[in-house]
Amino acid sequence: MTPAISANDINDKALIEELKRWVGIETPTLNAAAVNRLADRVEVLGKEAGLETERVPGTLGFGDILALRSPRPSGSNEKTVLILAHLDTVHAVGVINDQLPLRQEGDKLYGPGIYDMKSGALMALEAMKLAVRHGTRMPIDLIFVPDEEMGSLSSRAFMEEAAKNAGYTLVVEPARDGGKVVTARKGVAMYDVAVRGRAAHAGARPQDGRSAIRAAARLVLELEALNDTERGVTVTVGTIQGGTGRNTVPAECRLQVDVRVPNDKIAAEVTGKIEAMRPVDPDITFEIAGKMNRPPFAQSEEGRRLFDVAAEIAGGLGIALEGVATGGGSDGNFTAALGVPTLDGLGADGAGPHTFNEHIFLSSVAPRTALLANLMISLEAR
């Protein structure tokens, strides 16, 4: 297949300059004002391109949701190509001036959130502009959310509503392992566990106490025993906090638990076991709060065909596209669980997400933007 839009059609110099502007607006998830400053810029660019815009005020302390739509007849209910992006990052304001300055070293461009996922978000906008100018078979909806890094708590319902009319979903999270796209993701569950015992003086009356830390230690081993490499199950106790002093039998201990599962059946099994855990000591109590945060994203047959279309287009651009399953979750989990063929990891190639080594490969930006644009114009309603 000869793509209608090539990498040479991308003004990568202007694109990179705009990307630097986006990276310079630091957007930690919980700083709604900062996230909205970037949304302001994106909204301006969308309007300048003649795209329809919808902005939904933020809730739960997060920033606004911004949707850009290709022009279409009023009241149209045609199936759409849904593009998902997020504007928030994990990095605190000020990182760009210290641990992760915006800088170029050869083919690498460093900066907070540049790989996950400001480059992909901007590439999606640029690709959408090119596709609209060229002409598309299906309308395009591009949604920028403010809270993906914290589970999309305020934006999930908006995306799922948009997915009801989507024929396909393209997610511009960063590429994996040298340019691979993501064809499946594990589901994610998060639990907060409070273990409560009884305080006592560790020297004078230790027999009166019931150690919450000791009970929590036993619980950690029970939780970690659920790990199953062959079935793709990971259970991680990520934090543990408890006690008030070295000479006091601890009355409370808290755990934060991360769970990753490959499919719905295993998800139900593993979460059921966690939620049924009980203390051995009758004087100890567990409070286990949490649930599946993102459903498993398993590749469907239609999802496999979507990948095949992308791979054929990529081949015409000189990209040997490979698919990979990953343990990390994204907003693509939501749409895939609703039965919408979903392809993820379509952003820039790079490395170091969520670290002070975060960077993209500049050479990947134009070809992968062209891939996105050609996908947008090639997909047809099912």
Side-chain angles (χ1 to χ4, degrees):
M1 175 185 291
T2 302
I5 296 170
S6 74
N8 292 331
D9 295 316
I10 313 298
N11 185 344
D12 53 350
K13 182 176 181 181
L15 193 59
I16 296 305
E17 285 306 307
E18 183 64 28
L19 177 58
K20 290 177 180 177
R21 180 171 180 171
W22 286 30
V23 174
I25 305 171
E26 295 176 283
T27 54
T29 310
L30 289 176
N31 191 329
V35 175
N36 283 345
R37 280 195 290 275
L38 181 53
D40 291 341
R41 176 61 183 167
V42 179
E43 187 174 16
V44 166
L45 294 174
K47 288 179 176 177
E48 288 178 350
L51 303 175
E52 299 173 6
T53 66
E54 178 186 3
R55 188 154 173 173
V56 179
T59 59
L60 305 178
F62 298 112
D64 299 346
I65 300 168
L66 177 64
L68 304 181
R69 298 188 173 91
S70 61
R72 66 200 69 174
S74 178
S76 170
N77 62 352
E78 291 181 75
K79 287 288 186 180
T80 65
V81 178
L82 176 62
I83 319 295
L84 298 181
H86 66 86
L87 298 180
D88 61 316
T89 76
V90 301
H91 297 287
V93 170
V95 165
I96 199 168
N97 299 317
D98 190 4
Q99 298 101 321
L100 186 50
L102 181 59
R103 69 193 189 279
Q104 182 176 345
E105 296 178 3
D107 190 39
K108 298 177 180 178
L109 186 62
Y110 292 80
I114 195 166
Y115 178 54
D116 186 13
M117 60 172 291
K118 289 183 177 177
S119 53
L122 178 57
M123 288 161 59
L125 174 57
E126 183 64 20
M128 182 177 180
K129 289 159 56 178
L130 288 166
V132 169
R133 285 201 295 267
H134 183 277
T136 63
R137 295 180 172 92
M138 300 174 68
I140 303 169
D141 289 341
L142 171 54
I143 298 175
F144 297 91
V145 303
D147 57 347
E148 190 275 345
E149 295 292 2
M150 295 188 69
S152 303
L153 299 176
S154 74
S155 55
R156 177 177 179 174
F158 188 92
M159 289 184 285
E160 289 182 333
E161 184 63 28
K164 290 179 181 178
N165 199 45
Y168 306 91
T169 299
L170 307 178
V171 188
V172 287
E173 289 284 352
R176 297 294 193 275
D177 305 324
K180 296 181 177 69
V181 294
V182 175
T183 56
R185 291 181 181 271
K186 291 181 181 180
V188 183
M190 298 179 183
Y191 288 97
D192 294 305
V193 183
V195 180
R196 293 194 170 87
R198 187 163 64 231
H201 193 292
R205 301 288 299 180
Q207 68 274 17
D208 294 343
R210 298 293 184 270
S211 172
I213 288 180
R214 181 173 60 193
R218 183 181 287 113
L219 178 59
V220 168
L221 295 177
E222 193 175 350
L223 287 164
E224 297 271 356
L226 295 174
N227 280 288
D228 188 333
T229 303
E230 287 188 6
R231 295 202 304 161
V233 176
T234 60
V235 179
T236 304
V237 179
T239 69
I240 182 167
Q241 296 176 315
T244 56
R246 72 174 68 237
N247 61 352
T248 303
V249 176
E252 185 172 285
C253 188
R254 292 181 175 272
L255 317 175
Q256 290 184 318
V257 185
D258 179 278
V259 181
R260 310 281 168 144
V261 286
N263 58 51
D264 290 331
K265 181 180 179 181
I266 293 176
E269 174 195 331
V270 173
T271 58
K273 287 180 178 179
I274 291 172
E275 291 164 16
M277 288 180 175
R278 298 292 182 268
V280 173
D281 188 332
D283 293 329
I284 296 286
T285 62
F286 293 166
E287 292 181 13
I288 301 175
K291 59 182 180 179
M292 291 299 298
N293 169 265
R294 297 182 190 276
F297 162 10
Q299 188 183 38
S300 64
E301 189 57 43
E302 288 181 321
R304 209 167 279 115
R305 286 196 289 269
L306 174 58
F307 169 78
D308 289 341
V309 171
E312 184 178 357
I313 293 169
L317 294 166
I319 302 171
L321 203 65
E322 295 182 51
V324 65
T326 180
S330 85
D331 290 332
N333 288 61
F334 301 136
T335 59
L338 292 173
V340 182
T342 299
L343 190 60
D344 203 336
L346 287 161
D349 191 11
H354 296 197
T355 74
F356 297 143
N357 187 46
E358 185 167 351
H359 62 272
I360 62 168
F361 298 122
L362 291 167
S363 57
S364 74
V365 172
R368 294 181 76 88
T369 302
L371 170 59
L372 274 168
N374 282 291
L375 258 177
M376 292 178 193
I377 65 177
S378 299
L379 295 175
E380 299 182 85
R382 294 174 287 150

